[in-house]
Amino acid sequence: LVLSQPEFADAVRDALRQVNRMDELQRNPLMRSRLVLDRTGTASTLALRSTTLQTLLKETAQLLQSSPKTNRAYRALHHTYFQPAATQELAAELLDLPFSTYRRHLKEGIDHVIETLWEREVGNME
């Protein structure tokens, strides 16, 4: 299965929303992506693929911690998806940000994860 860039972006967004729900993550189209299969092999189990996808999402998000400017986007991703607050409003409070600023940082983080994984999927970076 080859996904178009928009389909891939939608699948990444869905995967982020389901990152802590392995049963839902197993239904994600990224489970059949080159990204995952290169790490697991085509004969791998769904459990291994979903764990690999989860790891890829976390590792890619963690790249944002490398600078103070992008760390804000990482923290928004972290409190929304990886260690989620009960609501996005509470995530904004945890980060001591106005809700609109939190949403901007979250979008930056999501866009970074999508772009980085897409570049890996199409072979533009290791």
Side-chain angles (χ1 to χ4, degrees):
L1 176 70
V2 178
L3 298 173
S4 68
Q5 199 281 336
E7 292 168 331
F8 186 90
D10 288 343
V12 171
R13 284 185 198 92
D14 288 342
L16 284 168
R17 283 190 289 272
Q18 303 300 334
V19 72
N20 294 317
R21 299 202 46 212
M22 298 310 260
D23 58 326
E24 293 294 327
L25 204 54
Q26 289 178 359
R27 294 181 185 89
N28 190 288
L30 295 176
M31 295 284 288
R32 298 179 306 277
S33 69
R34 190 176 104 187
L35 269 173
V36 172
L37 295 177
D38 281 354
R39 283 199 180 188
T40 64
T42 56
S44 58
T45 64
L46 282 177
L48 177 59
R49 289 184 197 183
S50 60
T51 300
T52 299
L53 178 55
Q54 182 185 57
T55 299
L56 279 165
L57 292 167
K58 289 179 179 181
E59 287 174 354
T60 304
Q62 288 170 348
L63 295 172
L64 291 165
Q65 291 179 298
S66 63
S67 83
K69 183 178 179 181
T70 59
N71 188 50
R72 298 177 299 203
Y74 170 76
R75 294 180 65 223
L77 285 170
H78 179 78
H79 288 295
T80 305
Y81 301 119
F82 303 117
Q83 292 290 318
T87 66
Q88 288 191 351
E89 289 80 6
L90 288 174
E93 282 183 38
L94 278 170
L95 297 169
D96 196 27
L97 295 172
F99 189 69
S100 61
T101 304
Y102 155 79
R103 293 287 298 166
R104 188 177 78 243
H105 292 320
L106 181 60
K107 182 183 179 328
E108 289 169 8
I110 293 168
D111 289 347
H112 165 81
V113 171
I114 290 169
E115 289 167 21
T116 301
L117 292 177
W118 177 249
E119 288 176 5
R120 290 179 184 170
E121 178 70 7
V122 296
N124 293 336
M125 78 188 276
E126 291 296 316

